[in-house]
Amino acid sequence: MKKILVPIDGSKASQKAAEKAISLAKEFGYEVKFISVVNVPTDDKYAIFGVNVQTAFNANRKEMLKELMEKETKMLNRIIKNLDASDVKVEQVVIAGIPYEEILKVAKEENFDIIVMGRRGFSNIERFFIGSVTQRVIAGSTCPVLVVNE
Ligand SMILES: Nc1ncnc2c1ncn2[C@@H]1O[C@H](COP(=O)(O)OP(=O)(O)O)[C@@H](O)[C@H]1O
Ligand SMILES: [Mg+2]
């Protein structure tokens, strides 16, 4: 069966993408997998604060990550619950990493037929026509990418 991958960051545009994916799935009999990537801050981000903050950060990294993954899972659950996805096979996954890299990796490794995602996310920097995650996914994807507006 054909499969749609839907990257979700909780933004309005990503919710619209989820709705679009579900309606395509119903019409054409696709399966849908939702993916949320928790963007993990790197060590060097804290380097300017000196060794103490970095050490504290490393000590708390596991705890912090766990909390972020839980929050992300709740967000994803809420979005999926609000969809009318009856009769559609739906899967979900929350991954820690760099968003566009994880999205491209899953799309490739699991042989997705299409990616449906939002044009914008949260940062909404107007000088960029398309969000940077979306730009990078379009640039690196081997399958078609459908970009949905808010
Ligand atoms: N961390 C993430 N996990 C999963 N999908 C994401 C993530 N960040 C962005 N996306 C996807 O990319 C779309 C555009 O977001 P993005 O490129 O980050 O735009 P912006 O720069 O406005 O935040 C979102 O609607 C969502 O589909
Ligand atoms: Mg973003």
Side-chain angles (χ1 to χ4, degrees), residues 116-134:
V116 178
M117 65 194 300
R119 185 166 76 97
R120 308 274 7 177
F122 278 119
S123 55
N124 246 328
I125 307 167
E126 293 206 349
R127 70 195 147 97
F128 295 120
F129 182 57
I130 306 177
S132 67
V133 175
T134 298

Side-chain angles (χ1 to χ4, degrees), residues 6-51:
V6 188
I8 300 286
D9 65 351
S11 66
K12 196 76 204 291
S14 72
Q15 290 177 47
K16 279 273 150 68
E19 287 164 13
K20 186 71 190 173
I22 291 297
S23 76
L24 288 172
K26 284 180 176 169
E27 193 165 349
F28 300 108
Y30 290 133
E31 292 176 11
V32 178
K33 183 171 190 166
F34 297 99
I35 175 175
S36 292
V37 185
V38 175
N39 206 344
V40 190
T42 53
D43 290 344
D44 25 317
K45 193 170 173 182
Y46 295 90
I48 52 161
F49 296 116
V51 174

Side-chain angles (χ1 to χ4, degrees), residues 6-136:
V6 188
I8 300 286
D9 65 351
S11 66
K12 196 76 204 291
S14 72
Q15 290 177 47
K16 279 273 150 68
E19 287 164 13
K20 186 71 190 173
I22 291 297
S23 76
L24 288 172
K26 284 180 176 169
E27 193 165 349
F28 300 108
Y30 290 133
E31 292 176 11
V32 178
K33 183 171 190 166
F34 297 99
I35 175 175
S36 292
V37 185
V38 175
N39 206 344
V40 190
T42 53
D43 290 344
D44 25 317
K45 193 170 173 182
Y46 295 90
I48 52 161
F49 296 116
V51 174
N52 286 340
V53 170
Q54 258 191 300
T55 308
F57 172 69
N58 281 328
N60 286 319
R61 179 197 282 279
K62 249 178 125 176
E63 202 48 46
M64 220 169 88
L65 189 58
K66 200 176 143 231
E67 217 167 278
L68 288 171
M69 301 271 290
E70 281 169 9
K71 284 211 177 94
E72 201 76 3
T73 304
K74 275 188 192 151
M75 176 278 289
L76 192 54
N77 284 339
R78 187 156 12 96
I79 286 177
I80 293 171
K81 219 181 83 190
N82 283 330
L83 295 166
D84 178 17
S86 47
D87 300 334
V88 179
K89 192 183 167 214
V90 167
E91 273 187 293
Q92 68 185 91
V93 64
V94 175
I95 300 175
I98 299 165
Y100 82 94
E101 285 185 1
E102 297 304 324
I103 293 163
L104 288 173
K105 201 160 90 190
V106 168
K108 195 162 182 219
E109 282 174 1
E110 298 178 25
N111 266 310
F112 275 85
D113 298 282
I114 183 166
I115 299 170
V116 178
M117 65 194 300
R119 185 166 76 97
R120 308 274 7 177
F122 278 119
S123 55
N124 246 328
I125 307 167
E126 293 206 349
R127 70 195 147 97
F128 295 120
F129 182 57
I130 306 177
S132 67
V133 175
T134 298
Q135 280 179 43
R136 289 176 172 133

